[in-house]
């Protein structure tokens, strides 16, 4: 039950339903999930260990506030981890993986042509999950999943910016070329640069969070 509560709260935090600094009421969660305090407190401990919530004096459990500096540090780590994952994936590439990536890329092009941002974001996530899963390093995959969950709300904000789909499509085409030619180092550089470039939008994202 605690795992189910953790998943629900993580999604609400990542999607921005629960805002940074917002208090999470234990009693309300007991009513929502129809459980005692024990699984709620266990869920809080898990979320705190993952960096999603924090216990504050006189306030109880609140959604953690990430500063621009902390978000930048997380993104730099994520860039290194995903860069390593794509390097390994290119070296381990198979014809089936190339077909699946190309098909996903074509679906994204169609979504972009229809200006369906929600579908494009979903397909983009699946595109990169294919690559990460193909790296073959289970510990690396878990680490990337951890950092991706922590930064989900910022990723959603970045991918909602004007021109992002066109830029993303260009990056994916370059990435696919690396897979086809087997240039693992170039693929690593493209992925690292793509993630680090997103840091430029943090100023606006954090200004909006402060206003809300």
């Amino acid at each position: 039950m605690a795992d189910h509560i953790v998943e629900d709260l993580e999604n609400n935090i990542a999607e921005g339903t629960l805002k940074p600094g917002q208090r999470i009421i234990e009693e309300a969660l007991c009513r929502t999930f129809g459980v005692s305090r024990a699984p709620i407190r266990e869920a809080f401990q898990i979320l705190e260990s993952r960096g999603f919530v924090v216990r504050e004096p006189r306030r109880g459990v609140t959604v953690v506030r990430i500063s621009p500096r902390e978000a930048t540090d997380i993104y730099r780590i994520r860039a290194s981890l995903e860069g390593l994952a794509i390097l390994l994936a290119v070296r381990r590439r198979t014809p089936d993986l190339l077909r699946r990536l190309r098909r996903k890329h074509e679906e994204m092009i169609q979504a972009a042509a229809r200006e369906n941002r929600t579908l494009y974001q979903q397909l983009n996530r699946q595109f990169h999950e294919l690559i990460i899963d193909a790296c073959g390093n289970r510990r690396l995959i878990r680490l990337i999943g951890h950092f991706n969950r922590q930064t989900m709300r910022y990723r959603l904000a970045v991918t909602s910016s004007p021109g992002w789909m066109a830029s993303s499509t260009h990056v994916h085409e370059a990435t696919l070329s690396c897979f086809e030619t087997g240039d693992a180092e170039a693929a690593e550089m493209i992925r690292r640069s793509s993630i680090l470039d997103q840091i430029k939008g943090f100023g606006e994202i954090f200004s909006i969070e402060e206003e809300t």
Side-chain angles (χ1 to χ4, degrees):
M1 192 61 206
D3 289 339
H4 173 67
I5 296 167
V6 167
E7 182 179 1
D8 186 83
L9 291 176
E10 271 191 4
N11 289 336
N12 284 327
I13 293 170
E15 293 168 3
T17 305
L18 291 171
K19 307 292 185 183
Q22 181 174 339
R23 187 182 175 198
I24 305 178
I25 309 300
E26 186 176 297
E27 294 82 357
L29 290 180
C30 290
R31 292 192 297 270
T32 298
F33 292 100
V35 297
S36 66
R37 293 176 183 269
I40 300 297
R41 290 174 178 173
E42 182 182 351
F44 283 162
Q45 290 177 346
I46 295 171
L47 289 167
E48 188 172 21
S49 70
R50 294 180 180 178
F52 283 93
V53 303
V54 63
R55 298 176 189 274
E56 297 183 333
R58 297 182 298 279
R59 292 200 68 198
V61 176
T62 61
V63 178
V64 73
R65 292 183 183 274
I66 298 179
S67 69
R69 175 61 183 273
E70 288 171 323
T72 297
D73 288 345
I74 291 172
Y75 260 64
R76 285 174 176 160
I77 296 170
R78 183 178 153 230
S80 295
L81 293 176
E82 291 205 29
L84 174 58
I86 198 169
L87 181 142
L88 296 174
V90 171
R91 290 177 177 173
R92 292 167 46 90
R93 71 195 188 284
T94 63
D96 179 62
L97 175 62
L98 292 177
R99 283 193 297 269
R100 294 169 70 189
L101 289 173
R102 177 61 67 180
R103 183 164 59 249
K104 196 67 65 176
H105 179 54
E106 290 169 354
E107 291 174 1
M108 280 187 281
I109 291 174
Q110 295 171 9
R114 297 194 299 270
E115 297 185 359
N116 190 334
R117 185 176 297 275
T118 300
L119 177 59
Y120 190 98
Q121 290 171 331
Q122 177 183 342
L123 293 168
N124 177 66
R125 185 167 59 251
Q126 293 170 358
F127 179 88
H128 290 290
E129 285 174 352
L130 282 173
I131 293 173
I132 292 167
D133 288 343
C135 80
N137 187 315
R138 307 316 301 176
R139 186 177 293 273
L140 178 59
I141 292 170
R142 287 196 297 271
L143 283 172
I144 291 172
H146 171 71
F147 283 103
N148 280 346
R149 286 192 298 271
Q150 280 195 319
T151 58
M152 178 64 76
R153 65 177 180 268
Y154 304 111
R155 290 163 59 204
L156 289 174
V158 168
T159 58
S160 297
S161 60
W164 174 76
M165 285 191 291
S167 174
S168 173
T169 299
H170 176 74
V171 170
H172 290 158
E173 190 62 54
T175 299
L176 283 170
S177 295
C178 292
F179 270 92
E180 289 164 352
T181 61
D183 194 339
E185 287 74 18
E188 178 185 19
M189 184 178 299
I190 289 170
R191 186 56 183 152
R192 283 171 58 93
S193 297
S194 175
I195 294 173
L196 293 175
D197 281 347
Q198 295 177 24
I199 293 173
K200 298 173 183 176
F202 281 178
E204 181 178 352
I205 292 170
F206 281 91
S207 294
I208 292 171
E209 280 197 357
E210 289 172 1
E211 290 173 1
T212 56

